[in-house]
Amino acid sequence: MTQDEVNRLSGLARRRVAIERITPQIDCGRFPVKRVVGDLVDVEADLVSDGHDLLGAVLKHSDSTGALAEHPMELINNDRWRAAFQVREMGLHLFAIEAWVDHFATWRQGLAKKVEADLDDREALIELKIGARFVRRAAERADEARRGLLEYLAGILDEPSDLKAALQTALSDATGAMMQDYADRRFSTTSPVLEIRVDPERARASAWYEMFPRSASPVPGKHGTLRDCVDRLPYVAGMGFDVLYLPPIHPIGIANRKGKNNNPVAEADDVGSPWAIGSALGGHKDIDLQLGTLDDFKYLLAKCKEFGMDLAIDLAFQCSADHPYLRSHPEWFLARPDGTIQYAENPPKKYQDIYPFYFETEEWTDLWDELKDIVLYWIAQGVRIFRVDNPHTKPFAFWEWLIGEVKRDYPEVLFLAEAFTRPKIMYRLAKLGFTHSYTYFAWRNSKSELTEYLKELTTTPVREFFRPHFWPNTPDILTNELQTGGRSAFMSRLVLAATLSANYGIYGPAFELMENRALIPGKEEYLNAEKYEIRQWDIDRPDSLRDFVTRVNQCRREHPALERDDTLRFHPTDSDQLIAYSKSTPDLADTILVVVNLDFFNTRSGWTDLSLANLGLTSWQVYRVRDLLTGNEYQWQGARNYIELNPAKIPAHIFHIRR
Amino acid sequence: MTQDEVNRLSGLARRRVAIERITPQIDCGRFPVKRVVGDLVDVEADLVSDGHDLLGAVLKHSDSTGALAEHPMELINNDRWRAAFQVREMGLHLFAIEAWVDHFATWRQGLAKKVEADLDDREALIELKIGARFVRRAAERADEARRGLLEYLAGILDEPSDLKAALQTALSDATGAMMQDYADRRFSTTSPVLEIRVDPERARASAWYEMFPRSASPVPGKHGTLRDCVDRLPYVAGMGFDVLYLPPIHPIGIANRKGKNNNPVAEADDVGSPWAIGSALGGHKDIDLQLGTLDDFKYLLAKCKEFGMDLAIDLAFQCSADHPYLRSHPEWFLARPDGTIQYAENPPKKYQDIYPFYFETEEWTDLWDELKDIVLYWIAQGVRIFRVDNPHTKPFAFWEWLIGEVKRDYPEVLFLAEAFTRPKIMYRLAKLGFTHSYTYFAWRNSKSELTEYLKELTTTPVREFFRPHFWPNTPDILTNELQTGGRSAFMSRLVLAATLSANYGIYGPAFELMENRALIPGKEEYLNAEKYEIRQWDIDRPDSLRDFVTRVNQCRREHPALERDDTLRFHPTDSDQLIAYSKSTPDLADTILVVVNLDFFNTRSGWTDLSLANLGLTSWQVYRVRDLLTGNEYQWQGARNYIELNPAKIPAHIFHIRR
């Protein structure tokens, strides 16, 4: 062996333990897994070694402050080991596994077997001398407080005055524990270091309410303001929402402005799309004068806090033709040979009023810096949640950098990815740092579609990085079901969104007022969409779903089971139109069972076939279920119970299981 | 952005494609996947990018000679891409994926759509100018032969004399193909480099015959020799085996020699276990004088070749107490406090006649070098196959180094891991380089056990690194089934081993002579095991299974379907005792269906439910099946066909499907 080879191998040659299949991890450790403050992180790995020796292993955890802790790992079975730690601080945590062959433990186990099989005295003395070697070496590693004790112990084993007593000492649990503290790790193996992104608790569960500030005026026809939003807060908070999300609040472009109903030609009084950002009056760091001032914005932020709500704003990295960037930084846009700039497209949608940034520009560093500066500007004003418009049309590397930069200093900041695109792109965005992600929920309607999709989100590796956000409607999405399903469809889809996903939101007041008129029936654009015009909403309309929304949000607030996705379990029913699922806290102290009628028009009835173990119940156990939507209580027994849901009344049960 | 940050990011910022989930790969590329010469390597990956641009991608393959080739990748669906290459040389091959956003292809696709939607002339001229930009840049990248053509083409697009013709030129397939050759890869992403270990074809399929040379003498009571083995070759080769494997042929220790039937005390005339290697007469590079000389060994090797067979020898890295290493290198063994050395154990087995090497020795470099030298010594004599005894009791790092070193210079060398231990350890050994692995086949008897185990081996990622070797018996393993199942058990287990696994072996003549007497009935040790004494075998016994073994091996030789494991499929039958499975060549040209009666005592009958697509058949198709064991031919139709197998006759069908 050459000296080079010796050098290369010497760090490996005697490290006999291999560490494989560490969970959780994403793409071989390329991305951090996601957790929230307070979570217990369960780590498992396969630890294998040659021979038949016993192993020792610790899970090492470094929290976001750099504090290091070690947790002994335990063998589960089939060479799989486990340990856990709690994450208490936001930010980036690190963990790794260290494992070694434990010669002392192996020797001690062998000695126990030999003693059982009647060891002769001569052999016993040799065995004890072997043990003494291990203990003496441990003494060398021990801190001063223990060193003397270990040396004394080594002496007993080396030259026993009473053989039986010495054997007992060697085999005692106390000796075992002490030796474990000073295990010989010279030839230990350490795994690669893996990362955990720990988000604030709000990341686990939230109920969002999206509204257009310019439609918030109580005076018909008048342009609403941020102050009008303040007046709307009791209404929104009263329904139990905890995040108020506003579409872009910046100056809106004049050139190529869209008219009502996405008309490529605007009338003089048309207000344009808030996503066509930038005019002579300013860009991404400015507020549309018609909405108010920065002071108004800060006042709204402060009032949201008073109501226990967070304010989310929109990050739409794109420009109208009038945006100041077009003149100050033409190199950030790709000009065509005739000097014009190609407008944005998100096929089949065309955004003639919007120019995308050219991320392949030679001046990408300036562009990235400026976009980061926009985020930092709004953070400086107090914003902590950003809904990011079309992140899938900007490079992955940019988002990974931007979110990493921001969260390094502000780990409490949340980013919601509004990407409705192919699944692997949505997952990539989630992996690289987006806290939350919009989903395909709006287009998952049947029992099998919902079940399959939720299983993918909550029981596959996707759960480690993708936090779903369920929206039954958005200003862009008025589904066919809502167009045609009537009141029941809105109620049913609300319950599904709010109970299947711990993070959900509605676009209101369109939602609670059951706005269902489409520009072209069967297509998803609203008629008279708020994206292009001011709407007047009568939020006090007697048929409003306001009270129902309030009740659903109350269920979520009062039941921590609904504030998590990891315990979601589906339960069979004998009807294709009745979907049943449960959620619970890990200790099963709080357990919720939801049953929804997916048929918006007909009463459906059937029998459940509950997976009782997931509900903390045993077969034949009698228990009570209380419907949190009606207050009715039923006595049930076992797995099979009768359900009947009339969509003309309430198309769902949200049962609290009372054991 | 600081200059450091710019430097760090500049290699990433504009590389917009992410490459994920490349297959095949093992443990994030930590180990090479395994293939044999001639295999087509199918590579897939998820390629995702922001936006809606088209991508380009190539699979790059560097063979073991360093020759580099590129293969264009094609989109399968859902962002999954594919390409393949053939591996033609043994050794370590490398591959990687390079992918980029293809701006020209994106532009061309957009132009086609616009032309279809009736582009106006002004817009067409602008579009063509954009295309001209791409073509001009491609010209700069092109080799001289093409540069002129591309410049000419750019001119046509830039200043078209005939607009329609210019559009047609831009959209022509020829333009597309030429531009693909000179795609703009400035901002391409390249995946990590992954490895493929390409073994000789023999690694794909082989039939081994294990025998003790010292039992090969035709003279009763006389110690057999390597020359006697030469005389036995027509018999072994005649049965259709292609590897002759001999237990260790080295001098056997005297001290602590085992007597007959594993007696810890030997009689004067006891021959000892061949695995207790080393005496005053030599060690691992020497041949037991009673077996013959090195010349005899080389003669045997040469004669094996004549019979179309390879010779496999045993690598048992351990020593008897008399091994010369004990004196020349006492530091390679772990002494106990009384100076003695602990003998080897493979619980519950005890090997009092064997000392293990101490791999944690400070002198590990010398030890490793010497063990490698043993392998190289036998390679120099002409050996190319090693059956490795208990590799799981030596460190993983040692094997990875040893096999890597040997295969760098001798890629044709095969190592078979004789590890019967926990599954993850067996898999680790396979990953780190063993060409073949013994398996749990001997203990998988029921239909569900066999099905489950074979599915794990052939349809999970295990198939990329673990090449199973099925043995119905070994000198250590006489299963309860063989002890009690009679002739039918031997036949049934032979067919299963030889047709479920492309690599299999038997320990003979014990197997074909149906030796079934156990030392302790129900335990796996043979009575009068050859490990401890010379046995006389009457290979001409009229009840020998020799002819049946010959027929089974003939099926394998004549049917390439049986020489591979990757196409194994199980087919339901309505009997728990009838197991049915098929194998085929990838083109389905050769298709074999095997049905085995797992009940050794009773005739079993039932109906198959064949998965016809896997047999190249359509429903209701009439086809003929020919039983290669009996020559009988049947006309079948569709999936359901009647099977009846009488274990008193032949407990299996090996059908060739004739379409």
Side-chain angles (χ1 to χ4, degrees):
Chain A
M1 212 179 282
T2 63
Q3 190 55 45
D4 273 3
E5 227 179 328
V6 174
N7 294 345
R8 186 178 66 82
L9 292 167
S10 61
L12 309 165
R14 292 181 287 178
R15 303 189 186 277
R16 289 170 46 201
V17 184
I19 304 174
E20 298 189 340
R21 283 208 314 138
I22 302 176
T23 55
Q25 66 175 310
I26 300 166
D27 292 4
C28 307
R30 166 71 178 80
F31 300 102
V33 298
K34 291 190 187 132
R35 292 295 185 269
V36 304
V37 168
D39 275 349
L40 201 68
V41 180
D42 234 306
V43 176
E44 294 189 8
D46 292 346
L47 304 183
V48 289
S49 174
D50 63 283
H52 310 282
D53 294 335
L54 298 182
L55 307 187
V58 289
L59 170 60
K60 301 159 90 124
H61 167 221
S62 157
D63 72 15
S64 48
T65 70
L68 203 84
E70 281 193 354
H71 309 269
M73 296 192 79
E74 285 181 9
L75 179 63
I76 308 170
N77 63 31
N78 191 18
D79 295 318
R80 190 102 184 127
W81 294 63
R82 179 193 172 275
F85 55 82
Q86 200 183 23
V87 284
R88 293 195 181 85
E89 301 83 15
M90 287 185 291
L92 214 52
H93 292 232
L94 306 175
F95 70 96
I97 290 169
E98 184 180 354
W100 58 89
V101 170
D102 190 334
H103 289 295
F104 178 80
T106 305
W107 167 83
R108 189 161 158 261
Q109 187 192 50
L111 181 65
K113 280 187 193 160
K114 286 171 183 166
V115 167
E116 225 168 277
D118 255 344
L119 190 66
D120 69 38
D121 283 3
R122 201 185 139 269
E123 195 60 21
L125 283 167
I126 296 172
E127 284 292 339
L128 287 173
K129 273 195 194 304
I130 294 174
R133 277 187 194 171
F134 293 124
V135 177
R136 193 154 287 130
R137 276 187 231 130
E140 288 164 21
R141 286 185 295 271
D143 43 55
E144 238 164 298
R146 290 291 191 88
R147 188 171 304 146
L149 184 54
L150 284 162
E151 276 165 1
Y152 174 75
L153 181 57
I156 289 180
L157 303 186
D158 218 6
E159 306 280 351
S161 54
D162 177 338
L163 187 58
K164 212 164 190 153
L167 285 170
Q168 272 171 3
T169 304
L171 295 174
S172 73
D173 288 347
T175 302
M178 191 158 51
M179 287 296 288
Q180 198 168 26
D181 288 347
Y182 302 103
D184 181 359
R185 302 195 194 174
R186 269 181 310 157
F187 302 138
S188 69
T189 304
T190 300
S191 75
V193 175
L194 296 167
E195 294 179 324
I196 308 170
R197 164 72 64 193
V198 179
D199 289 315
E201 275 205 85
R202 169 73 84 221
R204 190 205 303 281
S206 58
W208 288 42
Y209 187 83
E210 174 176 7
M211 60 176 274
F212 282 77
R214 66 188 179 191
S215 296
S217 169
V219 183
K222 200 175 159 215
H223 195 291
T225 65
L226 297 172
R227 291 269 165 180
D228 291 329
C229 292
V230 172
D231 296 339
R232 188 64 66 84
L233 286 181
Y235 170 78
V236 178
M239 281 190 283
F241 290 99
D242 35 43
V243 176
L244 173 67
Y245 152 52
L246 306 183
I249 54 173
H250 315 299
I252 296 170
I254 310 288
N256 308 324
R257 174 175 285 194
K258 293 282 184 90
K260 295 184 184 64
N261 288 316
N262 202 12
N263 191 330
V265 185
E267 307 281 319
D269 62 342
D270 275 335
V271 288
S273 160
W275 282 274
I277 295 170
S279 75
L281 298 171
H284 286 75
K285 294 176 195 162
D286 300 291
I287 294 174
D288 183 359
L289 283 181
Q290 291 182 278
L291 290 175
T293 64
L294 183 59
D295 281 342
D296 293 335
F297 180 76
K298 288 183 173 174
Y299 180 67
L300 173 59
L301 256 173
K303 293 307 269 185
C304 280
K305 284 236 150 44
E306 276 179 32
F307 280 97
M309 296 177 76
D310 285 313
L311 182 66
I313 67 165
D314 203 299
L315 272 191
F317 285 155
Q318 57 202 22
C319 298
S320 87
D322 306 320
H323 197 294
Y325 290 154
L326 269 292
R327 270 151 298 278
S328 63
H329 290 283
E331 70 280 9
W332 291 350
F333 303 87
L334 182 62
R336 307 205 304 165
D338 65 342
T340 63
I341 295 167
Q342 179 60 52
Y343 56 76
E345 293 179 271
N346 190 4
K349 290 175 183 156
K350 291 181 177 188
Y351 303 102
Q352 294 91 339
D353 52 344
I354 289 171
Y355 289 165
F357 288 113
Y358 176 52
F359 277 89
E360 287 181 23
T361 173
E362 291 298 317
E363 307 304 324
W364 61 270
T365 55
D366 291 344
L367 173 61
W368 287 26
D369 276 336
E370 175 62 17
L371 296 178
K372 174 177 149 190
D373 213 51
I374 292 169
V375 180
L376 293 180
Y377 174 82
W378 290 107
I379 288 175
Q381 311 316 319
V383 175
R384 288 297 178 272
I385 306 185
F386 297 92
R387 178 269 198 194
V388 180
D389 192 65
N390 285 332
H392 60 293
T393 59
K394 290 95 195 172
F396 298 137
F398 165 70
W399 290 120
E400 190 169 14
W401 170 81
L402 178 74
I403 296 172
E405 287 284 295
V406 170
K407 296 203 71 147
R408 190 188 54 218
D409 297 329
Y410 304 96
E412 73 277 21
V413 170
L414 307 184
F415 293 91
L416 165 61
E418 187 253 0
F420 293 108
T421 180
R422 306 196 298 278
K424 286 169 187 169
I425 299 175
M426 293 178 64
Y427 287 157
R428 180 83 184 185
L429 290 165
K431 288 178 192 173
L432 59 78
F434 281 92
T435 327
H436 290 131
S437 305
Y438 279 73
T439 62
Y440 304 141
F441 168 71
W443 307 282
R444 296 295 179 273
N445 290 287
S446 72
K447 184 171 170 176
S448 63
E449 282 170 356
L450 286 164
T451 306
E452 195 186 324
Y453 189 46
L454 268 295
K455 281 188 178 170
E456 175 175 328
L457 297 180
T458 63
T459 69
T460 73
V462 168
R463 66 189 272 171
E464 304 294 356
F465 59 83
F466 187 89
R467 283 207 198 90
H469 226 286
F470 277 17
W471 289 71
N473 75 333
T474 78
D476 283 318
I477 305 170
L478 173 64
T479 63
N480 200 43
E481 283 66 28
L482 295 184
Q483 288 177 37
T484 60
R487 182 181 185 85
S488 159
F490 281 85
M491 293 170 83
S492 165
R493 297 295 296 175
L494 177 81
V495 170
L496 289 168
T499 60
L500 280 170
S501 177
N503 290 287
Y504 94 106
I506 59 171
Y507 151 55
F511 189 87
E512 65 269 25
L513 296 181
M514 297 168 288
E515 175 60 72
N516 65 357
R517 287 165 299 167
L519 181 60
I520 303 163
K523 303 266 180 185
E524 293 181 348
E525 283 264 7
Y526 280 91
L527 178 69
N528 300 323
E530 276 190 281
K531 282 172 70 179
Y532 310 108
E533 63 187 280
I534 293 169
R535 289 287 298 270
Q536 192 67 28
W537 300 103
D538 177 8
I539 58 174
D540 296 319
R541 237 170 58 197
D543 67 335
S544 167
L545 287 174
R546 175 181 181 173
D547 288 346
F548 186 70
V549 173
T550 307
R551 252 178 300 159
V552 170
N553 280 335
Q554 199 177 351
C555 293
R556 290 171 45 97
R557 292 193 163 210
E558 289 173 1
H559 291 279
L562 292 174
E563 295 195 319
R564 50 195 314 145
D565 295 330
D566 58 342
T567 56
L568 177 69
R569 293 292 176 278
F570 288 91
H571 300 264
T573 74
D574 58 10
S575 163
D576 256 9
Q577 298 296 326
L578 293 177
I579 188 168
Y581 49 90
S582 66
K583 285 184 171 181
S584 58
T585 50
D587 59 3
L588 295 170
D590 185 41
T591 304
I592 296 290
L593 174 72
V594 181
V595 187
V596 182
N597 181 359
L598 301 175
D599 181 340
F600 306 138
F601 305 103
N602 304 294
T603 296
R604 294 285 185 163
S605 62
W607 292 82
T608 62
D609 182 15
L610 303 175
S611 163
L612 294 171
N614 288 319
L615 304 174
L617 300 166
T618 56
S619 14
W620 310 116
Q621 184 174 346
V622 174
Y623 52 98
R624 299 186 70 78
V625 298
R626 181 165 188 272
D627 187 344
L628 302 173
L629 294 176
T630 60
N632 294 338
E633 210 164 310
Y634 308 90
Q635 178 156 307
W636 278 11
Q637 186 175 18
R640 287 182 66 74
N641 296 284
Y642 181 76
I643 295 284
E644 184 178 299
L645 285 165
N646 178 355
K649 294 178 183 166
I650 297 181
H653 292 301
I654 301 180
F655 288 125
H656 179 223
I657 308 274
R658 320 184 76 160
R659 286 180 295 266
Chain B
M1 212 179 282
T2 65
Q3 190 54 44
D4 273 3
E5 228 178 329
V6 174
N7 295 344
R8 184 177 70 78
L9 292 168
S10 60
L12 308 166
R14 291 181 287 177
R15 302 188 186 278
R16 290 170 45 201
V17 184
I19 304 173
E20 298 190 340
R21 284 208 314 137
I22 301 175
T23 56
Q25 66 175 311
I26 300 165
D27 292 3
C28 307
R30 166 70 178 79
F31 300 103
V33 299
K34 291 191 186 128
R35 292 292 185 272
V36 304
V37 168
D39 275 350
L40 200 69
V41 180
D42 234 304
V43 175
E44 292 188 7
D46 292 347
L47 304 183
V48 289
S49 173
D50 63 281
H52 311 283
D53 294 336
L54 297 183
L55 306 187
V58 289
L59 170 60
K60 302 159 91 123
H61 167 221
S62 155
D63 74 13
S64 49
T65 69
L68 204 82
E70 283 195 353
H71 309 269
M73 296 191 78
E74 285 181 9
L75 179 63
I76 309 170
N77 61 30
N78 192 16
D79 295 318
R80 190 106 184 124
W81 293 63
R82 177 192 173 275
F85 56 82
Q86 200 184 22
V87 284
R88 295 193 181 86
E89 301 81 16
M90 288 185 291
L92 213 53
H93 292 230
L94 307 175
F95 70 96
I97 290 168
E98 184 179 354
W100 57 89
V101 170
D102 189 334
H103 289 295
F104 179 79
T106 305
W107 168 81
R108 188 160 159 264
Q109 188 194 51
L111 181 64
K113 280 187 194 162
K114 285 172 184 166
V115 167
E116 223 169 281
D118 257 343
L119 191 66
D120 67 41
D121 284 2
R122 202 186 139 271
E123 194 61 21
L125 283 167
I126 297 172
E127 283 293 337
L128 287 172
K129 275 196 193 303
I130 294 174
R133 277 188 196 171
F134 294 125
V135 178
R136 193 152 285 130
R137 276 188 231 129
E140 288 164 21
R141 286 186 296 272
D143 41 54
E144 239 163 296
R146 291 293 191 86
R147 188 169 306 145
L149 185 54
L150 285 162
E151 276 165 0
Y152 173 75
L153 182 56
I156 290 179
L157 304 187
D158 217 7
E159 306 280 350
S161 54
D162 177 339
L163 187 59
K164 212 165 192 157
L167 284 170
Q168 271 170 2
T169 304
L171 294 174
S172 74
D173 288 346
T175 302
M178 190 159 49
M179 287 297 287
Q180 198 168 25
D181 288 345
Y182 301 102
D184 181 359
R185 302 195 194 175
R186 269 179 311 157
F187 302 138
S188 70
T189 304
T190 300
S191 75
V193 174
L194 296 166
E195 295 179 323
I196 308 170
R197 164 72 66 194
V198 179
D199 289 315
E201 276 204 85
R202 170 73 85 221
R204 189 205 304 279
S206 58
W208 288 41
Y209 187 83
E210 174 175 7
M211 61 175 278
F212 282 78
R214 67 186 181 193
S215 295
S217 170
V219 183
K222 201 176 159 214
H223 195 291
T225 66
L226 296 173
R227 292 268 166 181
D228 293 329
C229 292
V230 171
D231 296 338
R232 188 63 66 84
L233 287 181
Y235 170 79
V236 177
M239 280 189 284
F241 290 99
D242 36 43
V243 176
L244 174 68
Y245 152 51
L246 306 182
I249 54 174
H250 315 298
I252 296 171
I254 309 288
N256 309 323
R257 175 175 283 193
K258 291 285 185 85
K260 294 184 185 64
N261 287 317
N262 202 11
N263 190 332
V265 184
E267 307 282 321
D269 62 345
D270 275 335
V271 288
S273 159
W275 283 275
I277 295 169
S279 76
L281 297 172
H284 285 76
K285 294 175 195 161
D286 300 292
I287 294 174
D288 184 358
L289 282 182
Q290 293 182 278
L291 290 176
T293 63
L294 183 59
D295 281 341
D296 294 334
F297 181 77
K298 288 183 174 174
Y299 180 67
L300 173 59
L301 256 172
K303 294 306 269 185
C304 281
K305 286 234 149 44
E306 277 179 29
F307 281 96
M309 296 178 74
D310 285 312
L311 183 67
I313 68 166
D314 202 300
L315 271 193
F317 284 154
Q318 56 201 24
C319 298
S320 88
D322 305 321
H323 197 294
Y325 290 154
L326 269 292
R327 271 152 297 279
S328 64
H329 289 284
E331 70 280 9
W332 291 350
F333 303 88
L334 182 61
R336 307 205 303 166
D338 66 343
T340 62
I341 294 168
Q342 179 60 51
Y343 56 75
E345 294 179 271
N346 189 4
K349 291 176 183 157
K350 291 182 176 186
Y351 304 101
Q352 295 92 339
D353 52 346
I354 289 170
Y355 290 165
F357 288 113
Y358 176 52
F359 277 88
E360 288 183 22
T361 174
E362 292 297 318
E363 307 303 326
W364 61 270
T365 55
D366 291 346
L367 174 60
W368 287 26
D369 276 336
E370 175 62 17
L371 297 178
K372 173 178 149 189
D373 213 50
I374 292 170
V375 181
L376 294 181
Y377 174 83
W378 290 107
I379 288 175
Q381 310 317 317
V383 175
R384 289 296 178 272
I385 306 185
F386 297 92
R387 177 269 198 192
V388 180
D389 193 65
N390 283 333
H392 60 293
T393 60
K394 289 95 194 169
F396 299 136
F398 164 69
W399 289 121
E400 188 168 14
W401 169 82
L402 178 75
I403 296 172
E405 287 284 294
V406 170
K407 296 203 71 151
R408 190 188 51 216
D409 297 330
Y410 304 96
E412 73 276 22
V413 170
L414 307 184
F415 293 90
L416 165 62
E418 187 252 2
F420 293 109
T421 179
R422 305 196 299 279
K424 286 169 187 169
I425 299 176
M426 294 178 63
Y427 287 156
R428 181 82 185 184
L429 290 166
K431 287 178 194 172
L432 59 78
F434 281 92
T435 328
H436 291 131
S437 304
Y438 280 73
T439 61
Y440 303 142
F441 168 70
W443 307 283
R444 297 294 179 273
N445 290 288
S446 71
K447 183 170 171 176
S448 64
E449 282 169 357
L450 286 164
T451 307
E452 195 185 326
Y453 189 45
L454 267 297
K455 282 189 179 170
E456 176 174 327
L457 296 181
T458 63
T459 68
T460 73
V462 167
R463 67 189 275 175
E464 304 295 355
F465 59 83
F466 187 88
R467 281 207 199 90
H469 225 287
F470 277 16
W471 289 71
N473 75 332
T474 78
D476 283 319
I477 304 169
L478 173 64
T479 62
N480 198 46
E481 284 66 27
L482 295 184
Q483 289 176 37
T484 59
R487 182 181 185 83
S488 159
F490 281 84
M491 293 169 83
S492 164
R493 297 296 294 174
L494 177 80
V495 170
L496 290 168
T499 59
L500 280 171
S501 177
N503 290 287
Y504 94 108
I506 58 170
Y507 151 56
F511 189 87
E512 65 269 26
L513 296 180
M514 297 167 288
E515 176 60 71
N516 65 358
R517 287 165 301 169
L519 180 61
I520 303 162
K523 303 266 179 183
E524 293 180 349
E525 282 265 5
Y526 281 91
L527 178 68
N528 301 324
E530 276 190 282
K531 281 173 69 179
Y532 311 107
E533 62 186 280
I534 293 171
R535 288 286 296 273
Q536 193 67 29
W537 300 104
D538 177 6
I539 58 174
D540 295 319
R541 239 171 56 198
D543 67 336
S544 167
L545 288 175
R546 177 181 178 171
D547 288 345
F548 186 70
V549 173
T550 307
R551 250 177 301 159
V552 170
N553 279 337
Q554 200 176 350
C555 294
R556 290 170 47 96
R557 292 193 164 210
E558 291 173 0
H559 291 279
L562 292 174
E563 294 196 320
R564 51 196 312 145
D565 295 331
D566 57 342
T567 55
L568 177 69
R569 291 292 176 279
F570 288 92
H571 300 264
T573 75
D574 59 8
S575 163
D576 258 7
Q577 298 298 326
L578 294 177
I579 187 169
Y581 49 90
S582 67
K583 283 185 172 181
S584 58
T585 50
D587 59 3
L588 295 171
D590 186 41
T591 304
I592 296 290
L593 174 72
V594 181
V595 187
V596 182
N597 181 358
L598 301 174
D599 181 340
F600 307 137
F601 305 103
N602 304 294
T603 296
R604 293 287 184 159
S605 61
W607 292 82
T608 62
D609 182 14
L610 302 176
S611 162
L612 294 172
N614 288 319
L615 304 175
L617 300 167
T618 55
S619 14
W620 309 116
Q621 183 174 349
V622 174
Y623 52 98
R624 299 187 70 79
V625 297
R626 180 165 188 272
D627 187 344
L628 302 173
L629 295 175
T630 60
N632 294 337
E633 210 165 309
Y634 308 89
Q635 177 156 309
W636 279 10
Q637 185 176 19
R640 286 182 67 74
N641 295 285
Y642 181 74
I643 296 283
E644 183 177 299
L645 284 166
N646 178 356
K649 296 178 184 166
I650 298 180
H653 293 302
I654 301 181
F655 289 125
H656 178 222
I657 308 273
R658 319 183 76 160
R659 285 182 294 265

